[in-house]
Amino acid sequence: MSLNDLLYEKGCSELQFVEYPHKLRILEIWIHPDSNDRFIIEESLPYDCIEQWLRQKGRYEPPKESKGCKPVGLRLLIQQWQIAHFNPGSRVLPFAKSTLDNVINLLYLPKSYPHDFANGRHLPGRLERVDTLTGKNIGIVLQSPKFIASFMSLALSFDPISNITRGFLGHVTGNGVNGPIDPVLEDLKRMVDYSSHPVLLPALAFGLWCHILRDDCTNINWQLRDIQGRTGLMKDYLRQTNAEENLPLYVDFDKIHSELVEQQQYLSSSISDFVFELGEFCLVALSDIGEVQKMAAKRDTELKAYILQMQRMAKSELQHKDRMLSRVDVQFKVLYSLMQQRDSRINHEIAVETKRDSAAMKSIALLTMVFLPATAVATIFSMSPFFSSNSGLDIVTSSQFWIYWAVTVPLTVMVLIMFLLWLERGRFLKHLARNGRFSPLAKHFIKSTKQT
């Protein structure tokens, strides 16, 4: 067993093979170099016909030779994974193990592909040599980050002798019939003359992900503007002299915070790293393959120009993404400041209400001080020496009832004076101490009173 076979078996051991009824289709683009005749075959492929297509038997035979020249081009097996049946975060491969063996062996794909797929992380592209019966093929494997609505896994093999590129492309569509890879396939059908070039499909995939990055940045930018417009974060904080007066209490800051966190996660996703590294890989692959196979210089030049153009767009979007990350950081700071201001205003209102309640309690205490002495005295004077009952019907006031008022009024005044002095004790004692009317011992008592 070779090391490639060992790597293949290890990768397969980490995968779970399930024959899901996913949509299979084929795309074949053929061109006769001598007559310039072109053939494009795109159709659905029944699952039980995979091996027949792989072996090019029956109705799947390639076009006939023309003037002694075999056709060149592209043979691509495409599988669309529905998100309802396939979770890109899992290690499920929607093939039977025997089917995968045929796909790898008959398309001469890199045997490291199952291991890369099982690894689950994005792979911006890798070149390797694949042993075949006719010599060495050039293998390409790349895999995007695993998002729900946009995920692709690609394995290619280019035969420099027959000038045929074979490959497998799996992709996920979030909902609906069409997936994000369809624009790439449409571009492939338009570029028949480039169809056999092994870097064409990775370059078009690079362009696709550049546009996905651009669309994501645009959507996030508008969502950030929406958050700013709904809450007035920057306007109230930076353009008003007093942001606290303009800050509405009905704003759901927790919801705004969760939205900002969500946008920050999108901006910090691995798609930007994947796009940047995929562009670099396409340029390196174009250079390496050009040294192995002397293809048309015009095609290489145009492919390089396309890749560089997409790189410029990706660089612009990455800079835009960095600016939005900085903007999100500023909005986080503003949001935290506004939350603190809101909490401060609420605490202030609570303090005002507490002070109002305290004043009410003081009033109640004052009324209690007014009526409590009279109540106490009345209880005492309700005894028989002050009042008596005539046959149980009339109450007869004693001639000594005046004693009740003589005691109650001075006692009430004295209690009120003591209560007020106790409330103002600090200011009163401080005034007396400032005028020098206390001894040092009394002053020490005043300091201890102020501390308590």
Side-chain angles (χ1 to χ4, degrees):
M1 177 182 290
S2 66
L3 290 177
N4 287 333
D5 292 333
L6 178 63
L7 188 62
Y8 177 76
E9 292 301 327
K10 283 190 174 182
C12 291
S13 65
E14 297 176 358
L15 291 173
Q16 180 183 357
F17 295 93
V18 180
E19 294 187 65
Y20 283 142
H22 291 290
K23 181 180 178 182
L24 277 171
R25 55 177 167 161
I26 57 173
L27 175 62
E28 295 186 7
I29 303 176
W30 298 100
I31 180 172
H32 283 289
D34 57 341
S35 61
N36 236 8
D37 292 337
R38 295 170 171 83
F39 305 93
I40 298 178
I41 303 171
E42 184 179 17
E43 60 182 61
S44 298
L45 181 67
Y47 195 83
D48 54 0
C49 295
I50 293 179
E51 186 172 354
Q52 189 178 8
W53 178 82
L54 291 173
R55 298 185 181 276
Q56 295 182 291
K57 300 295 184 180
R59 57 185 299 266
Y60 300 109
E61 290 183 357
K64 302 298 182 180
E65 295 183 9
S66 176
K67 298 179 182 180
C69 294
K70 293 183 178 180
V72 300
L74 171 71
R75 299 187 70 229
L76 190 62
L77 176 64
I78 306 164
Q79 188 175 38
Q80 179 175 301
W81 297 316
Q82 296 291 336
I83 198 60
H85 302 120
F86 174 73
N87 179 9
S90 68
R91 294 185 174 183
V92 174
L93 187 65
F95 276 136
K97 174 64 166 56
S98 58
T99 304
L100 178 65
D101 293 338
N102 288 329
V103 169
I104 295 295
N105 294 325
L106 298 178
L107 292 181
Y108 308 111
L109 300 181
K111 291 193 173 182
S112 60
Y113 176 68
H115 188 269
D116 293 326
F117 189 88
N119 189 35
R121 295 182 176 87
H122 79 264
L123 179 64
R126 186 183 68 249
L127 279 174
E128 62 181 81
R129 298 293 183 263
V130 180
D131 293 327
T132 65
L133 297 176
T134 59
K136 292 281 189 179
N137 281 16
I138 298 174
I140 295 177
V141 177
L142 67 90
Q143 186 166 279
S144 73
K146 291 193 174 181
F147 297 107
I148 292 178
S150 53
F151 165 66
M152 61 172 289
S153 183
L154 175 66
L156 296 173
S157 177
F158 172 66
D159 185 352
I161 297 177
S162 64
N163 204 12
I164 296 177
T165 298
R166 302 173 179 87
F168 167 74
L169 173 62
H171 66 101
V172 168
T173 173
N175 46 32
V177 177
N178 296 324
I181 205 67
D182 285 354
V184 173
L185 302 180
E186 292 299 323
D187 291 338
L188 271 177
K189 290 184 286 187
R190 294 190 189 100
M191 304 182 67
V192 178
D193 292 338
Y194 295 77
S195 59
S196 64
H197 201 298
V199 184
L200 175 61
L201 190 51
L204 293 178
F206 173 52
L208 168 70
W209 282 95
C210 286
H211 285 86
I212 291 176
L213 176 63
R214 182 194 63 186
D215 293 343
D216 286 349
C217 289
T218 301
N219 292 335
I220 293 173
N221 182 52
W222 281 110
Q223 290 174 11
L224 291 177
R225 285 173 177 258
D226 180 65
I227 292 174
Q228 180 175 327
R230 284 189 289 113
T231 61
L233 289 178
M234 306 298 290
K235 179 179 178 182
D236 286 341
Y237 187 74
L238 298 178
R239 298 182 183 178
Q240 301 292 335
T241 55
N242 191 349
E244 184 178 348
E245 295 178 359
N246 298 279
L247 182 62
L249 284 175
Y250 59 83
V251 176
D252 189 348
F253 287 107
D254 293 333
K255 182 178 179 181
I256 296 171
H257 182 267
S258 64
E259 291 178 0
L260 286 176
V261 170
E262 183 180 2
Q263 304 311 319
Q264 188 182 46
Q265 289 177 343
Y266 284 142
L267 291 171
S268 303
S269 65
S270 58
I271 181 175
S272 56
D273 295 334
F274 171 73
V275 170
F276 176 78
E277 294 171 3
L278 181 56
E280 294 294 327
F281 164 76
C282 288
L283 289 177
V284 173
L286 187 64
S287 176
D288 291 348
I289 293 176
E291 294 177 0
V292 176
Q293 177 71 13
K294 302 299 182 182
M295 310 186 78
K298 180 182 177 182
R299 298 177 186 176
D300 286 355
T301 302
E302 292 184 357
L303 270 175
K304 184 176 181 180
Y306 175 82
I307 295 170
L308 291 175
Q309 176 63 27
M310 291 299 102
Q311 273 192 325
R312 285 189 287 269
M313 186 179 94
K315 182 179 180 181
S316 175
E317 294 304 326
L318 291 176
Q319 291 174 348
H320 186 202
K321 186 207 72 167
D322 292 338
R323 289 193 297 269
M324 285 193 292
L325 274 174
S326 300
R327 186 166 143 203
V328 168
D329 292 338
V330 172
Q331 288 191 351
F332 269 125
K333 294 178 182 178
V334 172
L335 180 63
Y336 294 148
S337 178
L338 292 178
M339 292 173 70
Q340 291 176 356
Q341 291 181 20
R342 179 202 60 180
D343 294 342
S344 298
R345 186 168 68 176
I346 293 175
N347 291 335
H348 175 71
E349 293 180 355
I350 293 175
V352 171
E353 293 295 330
T354 303
K355 185 176 181 180
R356 188 179 297 127
D357 294 341
S358 178
M361 293 302 296
K362 287 184 179 180
S363 301
I364 294 173
L366 182 60
L367 291 175
T368 302
M369 291 296 177
V370 171
F371 289 100
L372 185 60
T375 303
V377 174
T379 302
I380 297 174
F381 278 83
S382 64
M383 299 178 182
S384 57
F386 296 98
F387 295 94
S388 62
S389 175
N390 184 12
S391 301
L393 298 176
D394 298 328
I395 297 177
V396 179
T397 304
S398 172
S399 60
Q400 298 178 344
F401 182 66
W402 62 272
I403 300 176
Y404 169 77
W405 295 108
V407 175
T408 298
V409 171
L411 183 60
T412 301
V413 172
M414 183 181 68
V415 170
L416 288 175
I417 292 175
M418 291 178 63
F419 176 68
L420 294 175
L421 287 176
W422 178 256
L423 290 179
E424 301 294 330
R425 67 188 186 280
R427 191 168 15 175
F428 179 71
L429 293 176
K430 185 177 180 181
H431 174 73
L432 294 179
R434 189 166 49 245
N435 294 332
R437 298 183 182 182
F438 284 103
S439 64
L441 182 62
K443 292 181 179 181
H444 178 73
F445 172 74
I446 293 171
K447 289 183 180 180
S448 62
T449 303
K450 290 168 63 178
Q451 293 176 356
T452 57

